[in-house]
Amino acid sequence: MSETEIAKLGEFGLINELTKSIKLQNPSSLKGVGDDAAVLDYQGKKTLVTTDLLLEGVHFDLTYVPLKHLGYKSAVVNFSDIYAMNGQPKQITVSIGVSKRFTVEHIQELYEGIKLACEIYGVDLVGGDTSASVTGLIISITCIGEGEEGKIVYRNGAKDTDLICVSGDLGAAYMGLQLLERERVASAGMKDFQPEFAGKEYILERQLKPEARKDVIKALADAGIVPTAMMDVSDGLSSEILHICKQSNTGCRIYEDRIPIDYQTAVMASEFNMNLVTAALNGGEDYELLFTVPLTCHEQIAAIDSVRIIGHMTKPELGCMMLTRDDNEMELKAQGWNSLA
Ligand code: ADP
Ligand code: MG
């Protein structure tokens, strides 16, 4: 790969390099990159806005995360937040701070991942900002989406008899991170290091190239279900369910044996001598959807392949509990990812 210094292109040259191939696909994107502001028109729909800040060394480690994957993931995690409101992501803006260590080609790789995510999820890149940074890479993405009046789902709408549902499986991204971290440590100072990744593809993909659950939002809409409360699982199931309970003023009861966990996650946890359920409850970055629905939706939910019912809400005085496999009650605690802890 050739290595072009960013200074050679300058800020405007770099912006042009990164954005010249962009074609707008959504009718709500009236004006994208190239003026002082993008212009959007949501024509009577509600506008959803979410933003994420990613700092090198805090949120990602470039020794094992390829830049293209990083770009893809940075975009997808924002889409996930819009889906978690029962909305559709439509536009993003991408702001980057880049230190001298990075070349034009590096940033192009990052953008390839961002653009691929945009293409797959039908989102337009409509602007951003570009600056030098003193150390490391900084990425901030803002996503704008649309929601329909009356169908936007908040965290505070759960009722004390609702069913608790989760999509996909949990803990895999966290175990993928543990594996990458183990191989990074093992490779330190070695020249021709061959990491041991065979049979671990799923957990690696969950960590490096997560997807947002657009499909689940569609399946719910097709079934005519509007969840009473919803959020995406970015910090771990335990901490997320506590958010919903607190905001909805309910308790909850989930069942350990119903928590969906993939085989590779289980194998990895046992290799690390880690408690599997702890990993599934507190491991972050699953980007699955956690939501509640009225009891009457039981059958329709059961018919959706990628969704599992893991418990039910309760009156707030009953607390937030998990019934373990050996019939003990355990109080749920938020032990998930917290960059400020
Ligand atoms: P301003 O001086 O108004 O901030 P800029 O020169 O920073 O404008 O940006 C020019 C145009 O390029 C704007 O439309 C802006 O949204 C877009 N832009 C700047 N940086 C990026 C980036 N990293 N990715 C995508 N678009 C960008
Ligand atoms: Mg600017």
Side-chain angles (χ1 to χ4, degrees):
M1 190 166 66
S2 62
E3 295 191 2
T4 315
E5 253 189 79
I6 288 177
K8 203 174 144 214
L9 289 185
E11 181 187 336
F12 300 122
L14 178 63
I15 295 170
N16 184 46
E17 230 8 86
L18 297 175
T19 59
K20 64 184 180 196
S21 69
I22 290 174
K23 291 190 184 64
L24 301 179
Q25 11 173 6
N26 289 305
S28 54
S29 308
L30 295 188
K31 173 75 192 180
V33 170
D35 215 306
D36 297 309
V39 183
L40 311 179
D41 183 359
Y42 274 90
Q43 302 201 344
K45 299 272 175 78
K46 298 289 172 221
T47 313
L48 307 170
V49 180
T50 180
T51 194
D52 259 308
L53 174 64
L54 297 173
L55 305 176
E56 184 176 358
V58 178
H59 302 98
F60 58 89
D61 183 336
L62 289 173
T63 52
Y64 52 69
V65 179
L67 280 160
K68 186 173 175 184
H69 286 74
L70 179 63
Y72 190 87
K73 182 170 173 175
S74 322
V76 161
V77 301
N78 276 279
F79 305 162
S80 179
D81 280 321
I82 300 286
Y83 291 124
M85 300 300 288
N86 202 27
Q88 294 290 331
K90 294 293 175 185
Q91 289 88 17
I92 54 170
T93 61
V94 179
S95 298
I96 50 174
V98 188
S99 73
K100 285 219 176 68
R101 191 171 113 234
F102 296 90
T103 63
V104 170
E105 288 75 12
H106 287 136
I107 305 306
Q108 279 172 329
E109 250 184 272
L110 178 79
Y111 266 67
E112 262 175 48
I114 295 174
K115 287 177 192 169
L116 180 63
C118 284
E119 198 182 305
I120 291 175
Y121 288 86
V123 173
D124 293 326
L125 205 175
V126 296
D129 202 16
T130 308
S131 169
S133 96
V134 177
T135 52
L137 179 63
I138 298 162
I139 308 167
S140 174
I141 298 191
T142 296
C143 185
I144 301 137
E146 67 178 39
E148 273 177 60
E149 176 100 62
K151 293 199 174 162
I152 295 174
V153 180
Y154 299 88
R155 297 176 178 183
N156 66 4
K159 301 283 176 300
D160 59 19
T161 54
D162 284 351
L163 297 170
I164 303 170
C165 310
V166 72
S167 65
D169 59 77
L170 301 175
Y174 178 72
M175 293 318 303
L177 180 64
Q178 298 305 310
L179 173 63
L180 286 165
E181 190 58 29
R182 178 180 82 185
E183 298 302 300
R184 183 183 68 82
V185 171
S187 72
M190 287 167 64
K191 238 174 85 204
D192 296 310
F193 182 78
Q194 285 294 324
E196 286 170 37
F197 289 155
K200 312 267 199 280
E201 294 78 6
Y202 179 69
I203 59 172
L204 287 174
E205 183 159 323
R206 292 284 285 173
Q207 169 57 226
L208 293 173
K209 191 170 175 288
E211 300 294 349
R213 296 314 301 256
K214 180 180 189 171
D215 58 330
V216 172
I217 293 303
K218 178 163 190 307
L220 289 171
D222 289 348
I225 299 173
V226 179
T228 48
M230 181 155 61
M231 62 188 295
D232 68 335
V233 183
S234 52
D235 301 336
L237 176 68
S238 221
S239 121
E240 318 296 25
I241 192 104
L242 291 174
H243 282 301
I244 292 185
C245 288
K246 187 165 180 215
Q247 293 205 25
S248 300
N249 190 30
T250 63
C252 72
R253 195 174 165 87
I254 63 173
Y255 298 86
E256 181 181 348
D257 61 358
R258 297 208 193 155
I259 296 173
I261 297 173
D262 183 79
Y263 174 75
Q264 284 187 19
T265 308
V267 170
M268 200 71 246
S270 97
E271 267 183 47
F272 277 112
N273 267 321
M274 237 179 224
N275 183 309
L276 178 57
V277 175
T278 307
L281 284 179
N282 302 312
E285 302 193 294
D286 293 311
Y287 302 107
E288 294 296 343
L289 291 170
L290 171 68
F291 57 94
T292 55
V293 296
L295 261 175
T296 50
C297 293
H298 190 282
E299 266 174 45
Q300 291 143 284
I301 289 288
I304 304 176
D305 268 346
S306 48
V307 171
R308 274 242 217 138
I309 297 170
I310 59 165
H312 54 83
M313 295 310 231
T314 60
K315 297 233 178 292
E317 52 276 18
L318 296 179
C320 297
M321 312 301 271
M322 180 171 79
L323 192 75
T324 63
R325 281 173 199 279
D326 48 13
D327 266 340
N328 281 315
E329 288 220 312
M330 192 191 99
E331 195 183 344
L332 290 170
K333 295 225 169 64
Q335 293 167 326
W337 160 251
N338 179 350
S339 75
L340 298 180

